Amino acid sequence: MSRWIKNIADIAVIVALVIAAKTAIAEPYYVPSGSMEPTLQIGDELLATKFPYGYSSASLPVFVTLPESQRFLGALPQRGDVVVFRWPGDRSQIWVKRVVGLPGDRIEMKDGRLWINGAAVGLKPDGVGQNESEDGSQEQVARFIETLHTIFKHATIGQFDNTPEITVPAGRVFVMGDNRDNSADSRIPLEWGGVGLLPVSDLVGRVDALVGSWDLTAKSQPVWEWPAALRLSRFFTAVK
């Protein structure tokens, strides 16, 4: 009996260490949608580093969902950080977007272009890219360099390409997807299925790297063809 008790205790210690590491250091997450294309692709597995922004109930492993709490050892993201967070509409869901506005910033969209504090963010054309949908279909879209990262933008002006200027309040950040016409983000109110102004307490961590990537369309192919769907060029690459 004592041997069984020792084995159970050893397993409990291992589980506790894994949970502690996932809470305090980093945790992998899977990208199910194209809202952050071209930076993140459907099927990417990313690594969220948790300590840069401090800790709250949002920092617990994804399978543990607790009510919102205050952060300790907290720090704000930097503008431009790609962040993982718990969606305020259902904290069991993990989303990923880019921070474009910090507390006190004035954010506005004009004809599809981002303005911060009364100035248009740098934008230059960068050819075209392949926008992949969740069903595996693809279409060509315009690609732009916005300051230091790349975004996708469709040619038409959409409903959320012109928004009134809003000042980000304390304790919130403004997040957007790099695939501007395929992202439910801070431009869209929470009650409409967007993010609204994201509470800092819902931040999980900063996305620093990809650990793997797999083309999900391969699921419909024979098993022996699945290895060919691994995007080896994206393994262990930095996310900017």
Side-chain angles (χ1 to χ4, degrees):
M1 180 64 71
S2 60
R3 182 179 177 183
W4 280 102
I5 293 175
K6 182 181 183 302
N7 289 341
I8 292 172
D10 289 345
I11 292 172
V13 169
I14 293 171
V15 171
L17 289 173
V18 170
I19 292 175
K22 284 189 171 185
T23 299
I25 303 174
E27 186 172 6
Y29 296 95
Y30 174 75
V31 178
S33 76
S35 69
M36 278 295 293
E37 290 178 347
T39 305
L40 300 176
Q41 296 182 14
I42 298 172
D44 282 349
E45 186 174 10
L46 54 84
L47 192 66
T49 308
K50 295 193 174 181
F51 54 83
Y53 309 140
Y55 303 98
S56 71
S57 60
S59 307
L60 292 168
V62 64
F63 58 84
V64 181
T65 303
L66 294 178
E68 183 179 344
S69 72
Q70 296 297 314
R71 302 190 80 81
F72 66 95
L73 302 177
L76 286 172
Q78 295 185 17
R79 197 182 294 118
D81 281 0
V82 177
V83 298
V84 168
F85 58 91
R86 294 191 182 249
W87 181 49
D90 178 357
R91 301 186 77 251
S92 68
Q93 295 186 28
I94 302 294
W95 289 22
V96 58
K97 304 290 179 189
R98 188 182 298 275
V99 174
V100 300
L102 300 175
D105 282 344
R106 294 177 286 113
I107 305 296
E108 183 178 9
M109 294 295 295
K110 293 182 180 179
D111 294 332
R113 189 166 184 178
L114 175 64
W115 289 62
I116 302 176
N117 297 326
V121 173
L123 192 72
K124 64 178 182 179
D126 188 44
V128 296
Q130 291 293 327
N131 175 38
E132 182 181 6
S133 300
E134 287 74 9
D135 62 4
S137 62
Q138 295 189 357
E139 64 172 325
Q140 283 195 338
V141 295
R143 187 172 60 200
F144 295 88
I145 302 296
E146 186 179 79
T147 307
L148 297 177
H149 60 274
T150 307
I151 67 170
F152 278 168
K153 189 74 188 72
H154 294 246
T156 57
I157 298 299
Q159 180 181 3
F160 301 104
D161 281 338
N162 287 287
T163 62
E165 184 179 81
I166 185 170
T167 300
V168 181
R172 306 271 176 155
V173 291
F174 198 104
V175 297
M176 293 181 68
D178 289 349
N179 193 350
R180 290 294 164 79
D181 295 316
N182 184 28
S183 176
D185 48 43
S186 289
R187 295 170 294 175
I188 302 172
L190 184 61
E191 57 269 24
W192 293 2
V195 177
L197 293 167
L198 177 68
V200 172
S201 57
D202 283 330
L203 288 171
V204 172
R206 183 182 67 207
V207 179
D208 292 322
L210 300 180
V211 295
S213 184
W214 189 61
D215 184 352
L216 294 187
T217 60
K219 290 189 297 184
S220 61
Q221 303 300 320
V223 173
W224 56 85
E225 294 187 12
W226 288 6
L230 292 172
R231 303 184 184 114
L232 297 178
S233 64
R234 297 183 65 77
F235 277 53
F236 306 109
T237 56
V239 172
K240 297 179 181 180

